[in-house]
């Protein structure tokens, strides 16, 4: 179990980098979480009265607190600072002067309005890298619009192809658009850091939600451009990729089977006790299986429905056929593979006691990341950071607090 009683020095791959995280919700803060997970010092600036809304988010609030915040706020220092007040803006500029990276996900123009444009911030800190996460990017006719993740998912093409064909578009069940934008921002920061090693100069990383979704849409654009086919919702399958689906098991459980490669399909047919199917002209090639996807899935479903999930898993794994159960949180917490790879960690939390969450990924062999502490209370590091990095005296802190700046 991780010792999280106090912030500790990091030995991660990004140790020595200082990040000022501004903004809220997921798109910007998840980028900060990634950098903090791998050792960067992440100083989060939050509204001193309410903090990041993620502190209140959740289907339920056990012990009056959000279960979101321990995860997305982990490995960060919290500084309560009102960026809408001139004194708060001055303090932000002072903190950024010693930083390597700034992350923000306000609506384009907000930073400039507060005197925190990249041009101004980089005057005295030419190596500064600013990751700007927004719905539509920093330029273009839509740049001024507010853009939540669901809007980016729709504009980037994901929403239209998600769900059953006879129903309205569905969502993934998580804020995938925000997370993709954050991950692209983190990738951009790493590229900008590499460039800085050569040039000494920082730059702006412009990560748009809709473009981050578009980036993972595979051949959707090219396929339409070359063939005129616009991809539609197809439920649990990819059209033309068969067999690759969810199949029923005895007792109401379900199994995922991916047997679309020729050799894998032949092994699946052996397990089914129907090896002749692999040579049947209806199913002998990838194209043929795709054309008769529904017919093939019906054959497989009739077979899987006669076995329990555990029995099927054992039979298919023995023959090297990719398969798996559909995991929920309880399955993850009891799975020996998760445990062996420490995919889930347990931390001490001042309110929840011991709390479990996903570990840091990917795994690095020499400089691995680490969850050092969960999301801290609002403003827990305000005095420490402002005294050490901005030279604010104890009396100055008291005055700022009286005026609501911190």
């Amino acid at each position: 179990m991780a010792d999280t009683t106090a912030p500790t020095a990091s030995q991660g791959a990004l140790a020595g980098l200082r990040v000022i995280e501004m903004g809220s919700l997921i798109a910007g803060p998840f980028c900060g979480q990634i950098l903090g997970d791998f050792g960067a010092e992440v100083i989060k600036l939050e509204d001193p009265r309410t903090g990041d809304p993620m502190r209140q988010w959740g289907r339920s609030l056990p012990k009056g607190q959000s279960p979101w915040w321990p995860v997305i706020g982990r490995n960060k220092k919290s500084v309560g600072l009102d960026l809408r007040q001139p004194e708060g803006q001055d303090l932000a500029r002072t903190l950024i002067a010693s930083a390597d990276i700034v992350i923000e996900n306000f609506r384009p123009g907000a930073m400039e309005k507060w005197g925190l444009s990249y041009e101004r911030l980089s005057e005295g800190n030419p190596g500064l890298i600013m990751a700007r996460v927004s719905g539509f990017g920093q330029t273009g006719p839509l740049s001024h619009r507010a853009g939540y993740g669901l809007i980016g998912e729709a504009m980037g093409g994901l929403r239209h192809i998600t769900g059953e064909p006879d129903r309205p578009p569905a969502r993934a069940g998580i804020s995938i658009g925000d997370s993709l934008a954050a991950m692209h921002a983190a990738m951009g920061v790493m590229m900008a850091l590499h460039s800085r090693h050569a040039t000494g100069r920082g730059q702006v990383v412009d990560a748009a939600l809709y473009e981050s979704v578009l980036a993972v849409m595979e051949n959707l654009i090219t396929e339409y451009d070359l063939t005129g086919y616009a991809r539609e919702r197809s439920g649990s399958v990819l059209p033309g990729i068969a067999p690759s689906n969810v199949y029923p098991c005895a007792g109401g459980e379900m199994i995922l089977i991916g047997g679309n490669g020729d050799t894998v399909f032949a092994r699946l047919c052996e397990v089914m006790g129907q090896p002749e199917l692999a040579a049947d002209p209806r199913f002998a090639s990838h194209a043929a299986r795709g054309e008769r996807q529904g017919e093939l899935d019906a054959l497989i479903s009739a077979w899987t429905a006669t076995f329990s999930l555990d029995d099927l898993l054992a039979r298919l794994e023995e023959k090297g056929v990719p398969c798996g159960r559909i995991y929920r949180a309880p399955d993850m917490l009891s799975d020996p593979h998760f445990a062996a790879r420490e995919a889930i960690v347990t931390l001490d939390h001042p309110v929840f006691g011991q709390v479990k969450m996903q570990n840091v990924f990917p795994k690095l062999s020499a400089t691995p990341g680490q969850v050092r502490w969960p999301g801290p209370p609002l403003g827990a590091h305000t005095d420490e950071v402002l005294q050490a990095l901005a030279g604010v005296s104890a009396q100055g802190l008291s005055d700022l607090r009286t005026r609501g700046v911190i």
Side-chain angles (χ1 to χ4, degrees):
M1 184 175 66
D3 178 6
T4 60
T5 55
T8 55
S10 168
Q11 300 300 318
L14 302 182
L17 291 176
R18 177 171 292 150
V19 179
I20 304 298
E21 179 193 300
M22 309 160 86
S24 59
L25 299 173
I26 298 174
F30 184 42
C31 177
Q33 179 194 322
I34 294 169
L35 302 183
D37 282 351
F38 286 95
E41 178 190 23
V42 180
I43 299 171
K44 181 175 179 63
L45 307 185
E46 307 182 69
D47 186 304
R49 292 169 295 276
T50 60
D52 191 317
M54 296 303 292
R55 292 179 177 275
Q56 288 83 44
W57 270 36
R59 184 186 60 81
S60 59
L61 299 174
K63 298 187 177 180
Q65 297 199 16
S66 170
W68 287 69
W69 179 247
V71 182
I72 203 163
R74 71 191 194 188
N75 294 331
K76 299 177 184 180
K77 297 178 179 179
S78 172
V79 172
L81 187 63
D82 188 348
L83 295 174
R84 290 167 176 77
Q85 293 196 45
E87 287 177 291
Q89 296 158 12
D90 289 341
L91 286 168
R93 282 189 287 271
T94 300
L95 295 176
I96 292 168
S98 66
D100 298 281
I101 301 154
V102 171
I103 302 168
E104 65 94 5
N105 67 311
F106 299 110
R107 189 182 300 192
M111 294 286 282
E112 287 75 9
K113 181 177 67 176
W114 297 332
L116 300 172
S117 68
Y118 180 75
E119 291 71 24
R120 181 168 182 181
L121 295 175
S122 62
E123 285 177 1
N125 186 359
L128 181 68
I129 295 165
M130 178 183 278
R132 312 196 69 173
V133 187
S134 62
F136 306 98
Q138 300 298 312
T139 60
L142 301 183
S143 60
H144 66 284
R145 288 189 181 179
Y148 277 3
L150 77 165
I151 308 302
E153 292 164 25
M155 188 173 179
L158 180 61
R159 281 297 180 101
H160 182 76
I161 65 169
T162 303
E164 297 296 331
D166 59 345
R167 301 176 193 175
R171 68 172 298 154
I174 57 171
S175 303
I176 190 67
D178 292 289
S179 297
L180 284 171
M183 295 173 78
H184 277 85
M187 287 192 294
V189 166
M190 295 300 100
M191 297 169 194
L193 282 169
H194 183 72
S195 175
R196 191 176 76 173
H197 288 319
T199 66
R201 303 289 303 188
Q203 58 185 295
V204 174
V205 176
D206 182 356
L209 279 161
Y210 87 96
E211 289 168 345
S212 298
V213 173
L214 178 62
V216 300
M217 293 307 295
E218 301 173 349
N219 69 335
L220 181 140
I221 295 293
T222 307
E223 184 174 37
Y224 175 75
D225 181 52
L226 294 178
T227 71
Y229 173 74
R231 195 177 298 183
E232 301 292 339
R233 290 183 291 286
S234 55
S236 61
V237 303
L238 287 176
I241 309 298
S244 181
N245 206 344
V246 180
Y247 301 97
C249 305
E253 294 184 292
M254 295 176 287
I255 188 171
L256 285 163
I257 300 175
N260 48 292
D262 288 346
T263 57
V264 178
F265 179 63
R267 295 200 297 271
L268 172 60
C269 293
E270 287 183 31
V271 181
M272 293 173 64
Q274 303 179 63
E276 69 280 0
L277 288 178
D280 189 317
R282 295 176 300 164
F283 311 123
S285 69
H286 177 81
R289 290 190 295 276
E291 290 175 4
R292 295 169 178 81
Q293 189 165 26
E295 181 182 351
L296 180 56
D297 278 344
L299 284 171
I300 297 171
S301 294
W303 173 72
T304 59
T306 63
F307 296 91
S308 70
L309 173 59
D310 288 338
D311 192 0
L312 275 173
L313 289 171
R315 289 168 180 264
L316 293 166
E317 288 169 6
E318 183 181 3
K319 292 293 186 179
V321 177
C323 60
R325 64 179 73 243
I326 299 173
Y327 280 72
R328 298 171 62 248
D331 303 304
M332 299 175 189
L333 292 173
S334 62
D335 189 278
H337 190 77
F338 277 70
R341 287 183 55 82
E342 298 181 326
I344 295 172
V345 293
T346 303
L347 295 93
D348 287 328
H349 187 277
V351 176
F352 295 135
Q354 292 188 0
V355 61
K356 299 181 186 297
M357 66 180 67
Q358 61 269 40
N359 207 343
V360 177
F361 315 116
K363 294 179 178 291
L364 302 185
S365 61
T367 54
Q370 180 187 7
V371 185
R372 302 185 299 284
W373 65 89
L378 176 59
H381 306 94
T382 301
D383 292 7
E384 168 197 331
V385 169
L386 293 184
Q387 286 180 318
L389 301 184
V392 181
S393 67
Q395 183 59 50
L397 291 170
S398 177
D399 292 342
L400 290 168
R401 195 162 274 118
T402 299
R403 295 195 296 275
V405 179
I406 63 173

